[in-house]
Amino acid sequence: MTGRLFVIGTGPGNPDQMTPEARQAVEASREFFGYFPYIDRLNLRPDQIKVASDNREELNRAEAALRRAAEGVDVCVVSGGDPGVFAMAAAVCEAIDAGPDEWKRVDLTIVPGVTAMLAVAARIGAPLGHDFCAISLSDNLKPWEVIETRLRLVSGAGLVIALYNPISKARPWQLGRAFEILRETLPAATPVIFGRAAGRPDERMLVMPLGEAEAERADMATCVVIGSPATRVISRPGLPDLVYTPRFLEEPTR
Amino acid sequence: MTGRLFVIGTGPGNPDQMTPEARQAVEASREFFGYFPYIDRLNLRPDQIKVASDNREELNRAEAALRRAAEGVDVCVVSGGDPGVFAMAAAVCEAIDAGPDEWKRVDLTIVPGVTAMLAVAARIGAPLGHDFCAISLSDNLKPWEVIETRLRLVSGAGLVIALYNPISKARPWQLGRAFEILRETLPAATPVIFGRAAGRPDERMLVMPLGEAEAERADMATCVVIGSPATRVISRPGLPDLVYTPRFLEEPTR
């Protein structure tokens, strides 16, 4: 009889955007594995234990959690956003795939959450209202040439693009280069959304045309959404602009 | 002073996957616009009014809700899943864009939710753990040739593909044709997930290789997720298979 292993997402950071299902998984767990700023969102009880680890140590963290679950402890692996989008669920699966047989018998429950691009989209209108994609700009995880090829193909396909992990101290130039590539295929007027910390007190939403988009507007807490040629901006008197992508590819006759 | 207009997502159907933020928007609203099966998930109070409309009448429904909000009523537009993904948020933005100026002054709040592909992914492992896209297979909204081109480009780019609106009585052949196209670019062993009603009592998860994937396995409540060449399946003794896409494009040395 193994312990339970929950893999949850806290949502983007606003506690009201974390699902009751994730909350229940937290209540049922004894030990917590994850990046501390995410675990600190959970208001744990005194009998619940947080296990420290570095944000870059995802596979080690997954293995540590699986080891404890196999020993019979109920554990919770904590991601921000949704655990299945560039987060811990894949790391846990990788660890199970490569690990000892007993890890395959662990009672695993993955709990979905609101991922960053959905929270950003909701704050600005409906930029993901038509076909879209999510691409991590981290070239720690794949060769940079692959990222360039993907950006060319998806922008050429007319998909809206959500960029995760757009920039960091160790990866300072990649977002600027991504904008250069996208300017080759997309009109200069295409809206670019810098959605920082959506739903949190330090939220900052910024929209600028691709032709003027500057990588410095993003930081590690930003999800960058690049429109398609069909994406539109609505000016509203006394209210922020709305950005949306129509459901129909050609504008319907009105 | 306008009424408030909330656009919410109920999540995939399991009430524990609807966020507290969406629940609060429901409590604060007086009139509800949406497809009845979604509104029926909400357990409304006797003083709350549901306004009927057909599922295909999204723009009319958005206009009706905006009209009431402009008159001072607090209204709620209800989508399943996330309202920003192939759902009502874009329809509301379209109506604001084309409508009278007073609709631009309506106090609009879009509340994000758990969209179907995230719920399906969580039930099966982590198929969206690497770059992915979401494409609606409905050729009511765009020409079929555009869908074919997009499927070729994104599968060639190595993205995992989540197909929304894969099949209906009025669109019986499109999913089968999509599988044919994808077989031209992807290995026959690529896992295909038929994720039906994730998180609901009538949930049904099915995984089969692309070479054998049959469109009849899907219905209107299904989100179909097609892996990339990197997507893997883990067999577990006595437990369902896990499907995941590794975070690294090449497998890390172990």
Side-chain angles (χ1 to χ4, degrees):
Chain A
M1 184 76 180
T2 78
R4 299 197 67 176
L5 194 160
F6 297 98
V7 185
I8 70 158
T10 64
N14 175 344
D16 286 337
Q17 291 181 343
M18 179 166 160
T19 67
E21 188 184 30
R23 188 72 59 192
Q24 290 156 19
V26 169
E27 281 161 20
S29 299
R30 175 88 185 167
E31 295 184 5
F32 293 77
F33 294 78
Y35 182 50
F36 266 24
Y38 299 150
I39 294 182
D40 287 342
R41 294 176 181 167
L42 301 178
N43 296 314
L44 297 182
R45 301 187 305 262
D47 65 304
Q48 293 178 311
I49 297 162
K50 53 180 181 175
V51 182
S53 69
D54 188 278
N55 197 22
R56 288 158 294 184
E57 310 259 325
E58 294 185 336
L59 193 60
N60 290 348
R61 187 191 302 153
E63 290 168 347
L66 280 160
R67 208 171 293 124
R68 291 297 282 158
E71 289 168 4
V73 180
D74 293 329
V75 302
C76 187
V77 174
V78 182
S79 287
D82 176 273
V85 176
F86 309 119
M88 286 303 299
V92 169
C93 289
E94 289 167 35
I96 292 173
D97 202 4
D101 276 355
E102 61 183 19
W103 290 2
K104 293 186 175 61
R105 284 187 286 270
V106 163
D107 184 359
L108 172 69
T109 303
I110 300 169
V111 178
V114 174
T115 185
M117 65 181 166
L118 301 184
V120 167
R123 294 296 286 165
I124 204 81
L128 307 180
H130 198 78
D131 299 341
F132 64 93
C133 64
I135 292 180
S136 169
L137 219 55
S138 171
D139 53 357
N140 296 332
L141 301 178
K142 54 187 178 277
W144 177 252
E145 306 74 56
V146 170
I147 298 175
E148 290 206 358
T149 302
R150 289 183 178 178
L151 291 173
R152 289 195 173 91
L153 289 169
V154 296
S155 60
L159 270 60
V160 173
I161 303 167
L163 295 178
Y164 282 69
N165 309 314
I167 202 163
S168 72
K169 275 184 192 155
R171 295 181 293 99
W173 56 264
Q174 285 81 345
L175 181 59
R177 179 72 188 125
F179 287 148
E180 284 176 20
I181 290 163
L182 294 172
R183 285 186 197 112
E184 295 168 12
T185 41
L186 293 170
T190 306
V192 176
I193 301 155
F194 295 85
R196 184 179 185 285
R200 300 208 296 267
D202 53 339
E203 172 181 301
R204 195 178 60 227
M205 292 285 154
L206 182 69
V207 181
M208 49 194 344
L210 178 59
E212 298 166 23
E214 297 163 338
E216 306 84 72
R217 303 305 183 106
D219 66 10
M220 282 181 65
T222 305
C223 181
V224 178
V225 179
I226 297 118
S228 78
T231 303
R232 294 174 57 88
V233 179
I234 308 173
S235 298
R236 297 186 297 173
L239 291 171
D241 288 354
L242 287 176
V243 182
Y244 78 101
T245 309
R247 298 161 304 141
F248 290 83
L249 186 61
E250 281 90 14
E251 290 219 58
T253 314
R254 295 183 199 273
Chain B
M1 184 74 180
T2 78
R4 300 196 67 176
L5 193 160
F6 297 98
V7 186
I8 69 159
T10 63
N14 174 343
D16 286 337
Q17 292 181 342
M18 179 167 159
T19 67
E21 188 184 31
R23 189 70 59 193
Q24 290 157 19
V26 169
E27 281 162 20
S29 299
R30 176 87 187 168
E31 295 184 8
F32 293 77
F33 295 78
Y35 182 51
F36 266 25
Y38 300 150
I39 295 181
D40 287 342
R41 295 176 181 168
L42 302 178
N43 296 316
L44 298 182
R45 301 186 305 263
D47 66 303
Q48 293 177 312
I49 297 162
K50 54 179 180 175
V51 182
S53 69
D54 188 279
N55 196 22
R56 288 158 294 186
E57 308 260 325
E58 294 185 335
L59 192 61
N60 290 349
R61 186 192 301 153
E63 291 167 347
L66 280 160
R67 206 172 294 123
R68 291 297 281 158
E71 289 167 4
V73 181
D74 293 329
V75 301
C76 187
V77 174
V78 182
S79 286
D82 176 273
V85 176
F86 308 118
M88 286 302 299
V92 169
C93 289
E94 288 166 37
I96 292 173
D97 201 5
D101 277 356
E102 60 183 20
W103 290 2
K104 295 187 173 62
R105 285 187 285 270
V106 163
D107 184 358
L108 173 69
T109 302
I110 300 169
V111 178
V114 174
T115 185
M117 65 181 165
L118 302 184
V120 168
R123 295 296 285 165
I124 204 84
L128 308 179
H130 198 78
D131 300 340
F132 64 93
C133 64
I135 292 181
S136 169
L137 219 56
S138 171
D139 54 356
N140 295 332
L141 301 177
K142 55 186 178 277
W144 177 253
E145 306 74 56
V146 170
I147 297 175
E148 291 206 358
T149 302
R150 289 182 178 179
L151 291 173
R152 290 195 172 90
L153 289 169
V154 296
S155 59
L159 270 60
V160 172
I161 304 167
L163 295 178
Y164 282 70
N165 308 315
I167 202 162
S168 73
K169 274 184 193 155
R171 296 180 292 99
W173 56 264
Q174 286 81 346
L175 180 59
R177 178 72 188 124
F179 287 147
E180 284 176 20
I181 291 164
L182 295 172
R183 286 186 195 110
E184 296 169 11
T185 42
L186 292 171
T190 305
V192 175
I193 301 155
F194 294 86
R196 184 178 184 287
R200 301 209 296 269
D202 54 339
E203 173 181 301
R204 195 179 61 227
M205 293 285 153
L206 182 68
V207 181
M208 49 193 345
L210 178 59
E212 299 166 21
E214 297 163 338
E216 306 84 72
R217 303 303 184 108
D219 66 8
M220 282 181 64
T222 306
C223 181
V224 178
V225 178
I226 297 118
S228 77
T231 303
R232 296 172 57 86
V233 179
I234 308 174
S235 298
R236 297 185 298 172
L239 291 171
D241 289 353
L242 287 176
V243 182
Y244 78 101
T245 309
R247 298 162 305 140
F248 291 83
L249 186 60
E250 281 93 13
E251 289 218 59
T253 314
R254 297 183 199 270

